[in-house]
Amino acid sequence: MDKTIQGTSSGSAGKIRVLLVDDSLLVLELLTRMISTSPDIEIAGTARNGKEAIPKIELLNPDVVCTDLEMPLMDGLELTSYIMQNTPRPVLVVSSVVDQTRDSANVFALLKAGAVDVHQKPNLMNNEDFHKAARELNSKIKVVAGVYIFKRKPASDRVATAPLNIQQRKGRFRAVAIGVSTGGPQLLAEILPGLPKDFSMPVFVVQHISDGFIQGLVNWLDKNCALEVKIAENWESPKPGVIYFPEEQTHLTIERGGRIFLSKDPPLDGHRPAVDLLFSSVAEYYRDSVVGIILTGMGKDGVKGLHRIKSRGGVTIAQSEESCVVYGMPGEAVKTGAAVKVLSPSEIIRELIIFDQLNKNHHG
C-alpha cells in the first residue's frame, strides 16, 4: 500500500468508534441498531453525504468510516479519496449492488481509492435475519478497525526467503492457485493485470468477500486484465490463460482428471469458499507443478493447504508484511514455514512471469 493507515484515539472503554455515512435516514437507523448489538463498537456520529462527513471526521476522529457509494453533494468515492489523502483511516464500503456492471465498477473503484473492504447493505428483515446480519457487519467492522494495528516491518527486516532452483526443474508449471481475504480486490487488481495475455497456466482464486459482490469483482477484473476472468463452471476443464473464481458461497476444488469441482459443502472453519480446500486439491492433482500464493487477509485459511503444496514439491509464496492490508494469513504461512518465498505484489508478478517464460522455453 502507498498510504499508511494510522490508528486513531480509542472510544469509551476501548470501543471501536464508527462514523456512518449514508443519505438514507432509514439505512442509518438500521445500521445504528445493528452496530448497537455489539459491546465492542459504538456510533461516533452519522452524516448524510461526504461533504457533511468531512468536518465530523475532523471533530469526532472515528476509528472506522462506513460509507455508502451513491450520495448527493459528495459521493463515497470522493469521500474515500479525501480521507486517504488528508486523514487516513480504515474505510468500509456498505453499499447495495443493484446493477452488477455499473454499481460494482463504482464499488471497486472505492477499493482502488483506498477503502479496505466492502459489505452488502442490509435490507429490512425479520428478527433472526437482523441478528445474523448484525453479527456479520460487526465482525467486518472489527476486522477493518484492526487493519492499522498490524505493524509494518521495514524492508530490511523482511523474512529471508529460500532460493528456488527453478532452472533445474524438469517439468512445467501447470497452475497457479491464489487465496486472499481482506484487502484482496485492490491487490488482485494490481497483480492479475500484470500477467501476459498468453500466460501458460490457469489461475484459480478464492477471495473471501461479502455476498453480492463476487460477480462484480469478476466483471471489474475482467475489464482490466489481458486474461479472461470468469466464474468457474462445474466439471469445467481449466484452460491456460483463464482466471477462475467460484461463485459466492461455493467451494472450488480440482478433482477427477483435473476438472473443476464446485460444491455447497458446509463452510470449512467458517469459510465458503475455503482457500484450504482449493490449495489441498491442487496439491494432490498438480503436485510439484503448482504455484500456491497466499495474500492479505485475517485468520489462517489457506495455511494448511499451502503446507500441502509445499510437501508435494510445489512453489509456495506469501505476501510480504509491509505490503499487506492485514498480515494474518500470510503471517501464519511465514511463521509456520508454509511459504518458501515472501514477496511484494510487484515481486509476485515478476515471479509468475518468470515461471511462465520457463514454461514457454521448456515447451520450445
Side-chain angles (χ1 to χ4, degrees):
M1 294 179 61
D2 294 331
K3 304 178 182 65
T4 301
I5 296 179
Q6 302 292 338
T8 58
S9 59
S10 298
S12 58
K15 290 185 177 182
I16 299 166
R17 304 177 67 250
V18 177
L19 176 68
L20 299 176
V21 189
D22 197 292
D23 60 324
S24 167
L25 284 174
L26 184 62
V27 170
L28 288 175
E29 180 181 351
L30 181 57
L31 292 175
T32 299
R33 286 177 52 212
M34 294 170 70
I35 291 172
S36 297
T37 63
S38 172
D40 304 316
I41 309 173
E42 67 180 12
I43 303 298
T46 62
R48 299 289 299 278
N49 55 64
K51 189 173 182 180
E52 185 179 318
I54 288 173
K56 292 191 176 184
I57 292 171
E58 301 293 339
L59 176 66
L60 301 171
N61 199 25
D63 299 305
V64 176
V65 175
C66 293
T67 182
D68 189 15
L69 169 59
E70 295 184 354
M71 298 176 293
L73 300 181
M74 179 184 283
D75 64 16
L77 179 57
E78 293 177 276
L79 175 61
T80 299
S81 298
Y82 176 88
I83 291 171
M84 292 304 148
Q85 291 171 12
N86 297 280
T87 176
R89 69 196 63 228
V91 174
L92 175 63
V93 181
V94 181
S95 184
S96 299
V97 176
V98 178
D99 182 307
Q100 284 285 356
T101 300
R102 181 200 67 194
D103 294 346
S104 62
N106 292 333
V107 166
F108 291 109
L110 263 78
L111 294 178
K112 194 170 183 179
V116 176
D117 210 344
V118 295
H119 192 80
Q120 182 75 7
K121 185 181 291 187
N123 297 314
L124 292 175
M125 55 197 81
N126 61 39
N127 193 55
E128 182 178 345
D129 289 340
F130 171 82
H131 287 287
K132 179 176 182 292
R135 286 193 300 271
E136 292 174 351
L137 174 62
N138 290 331
S139 176
K140 183 65 69 71
I141 289 172
K142 291 176 185 178
V143 170
V144 169
V147 162
Y148 58 81
I149 293 173
F150 288 83
K151 304 301 181 185
R152 299 172 186 268
K153 296 182 180 179
S156 59
D157 291 340
R158 283 201 15 202
V159 177
T161 60
L164 294 176
N165 295 319
I166 54 176
Q167 300 290 354
Q168 300 175 9
R169 287 181 61 92
K170 296 180 180 179
R172 300 174 67 250
F173 291 99
R174 298 168 57 205
V176 176
I178 298 174
V180 61
S181 186
T182 308
Q186 309 92 307
L187 186 60
L188 293 173
E190 179 180 353
I191 293 174
L192 297 179
L195 302 180
K197 62 182 180 180
D198 59 345
F199 193 66
S200 56
M201 294 166 274
V203 180
F204 308 106
V205 184
V206 164
Q207 161 76 66
H208 299 160
I209 196 168
S210 298
D211 287 353
F213 290 101
I214 192 64
Q215 183 64 63
L217 173 61
V218 167
N219 294 346
W220 183 57
L221 291 172
D222 187 56
K223 288 184 177 180
N224 291 284
C225 291
L227 306 183
E228 178 185 1
V229 186
K230 62 172 292 187
I231 297 293
E233 299 174 39
N234 206 20
W235 300 115
E236 183 176 2
S237 294
K239 298 178 182 177
V242 179
I243 301 169
Y244 297 94
F245 285 76
E247 63 186 23
E248 65 184 33
Q249 291 297 325
T250 305
H251 294 303
L252 186 157
T253 55
I254 303 302
E255 307 287 348
R256 302 184 186 180
R259 290 183 295 173
I260 292 171
F261 180 64
L262 305 173
S263 84
K264 298 290 187 181
D265 287 347
L268 178 65
D269 296 328
H271 300 293
R272 187 174 66 187
V275 181
D276 270 324
L277 288 180
L278 171 64
F279 281 1
S280 295
S281 70
V282 296
E284 294 308 307
Y285 180 74
Y286 292 107
R287 303 188 76 79
D288 67 349
S289 61
V290 67
V291 181
I293 304 174
I294 194 164
L295 301 175
T296 178
M298 180 70 75
K300 301 180 180 180
D301 187 27
V303 175
K304 291 179 181 177
L306 204 66
H307 274 288
R308 295 282 288 276
I309 292 174
K310 182 182 177 183
S311 71
R312 298 299 188 272
V315 174
T316 56
I317 298 171
Q319 184 183 353
S320 60
E321 182 174 3
E322 62 268 21
S323 67
C324 278
V325 171
V326 180
Y327 192 54
M329 289 158 54
E332 285 295 319
V334 172
K335 185 171 71 174
T336 62
V340 174
K341 297 186 76 90
V342 181
L343 303 175
S344 69
S346 61
E347 291 169 335
I348 290 171
I349 296 170
R350 184 189 65 195
E351 204 82 352
L352 291 176
I353 291 174
I354 290 172
F355 296 161
D356 175 56
Q357 191 58 54
L358 287 170
N359 280 350
K360 291 166 182 172
N361 292 343
H362 179 80
H363 186 265

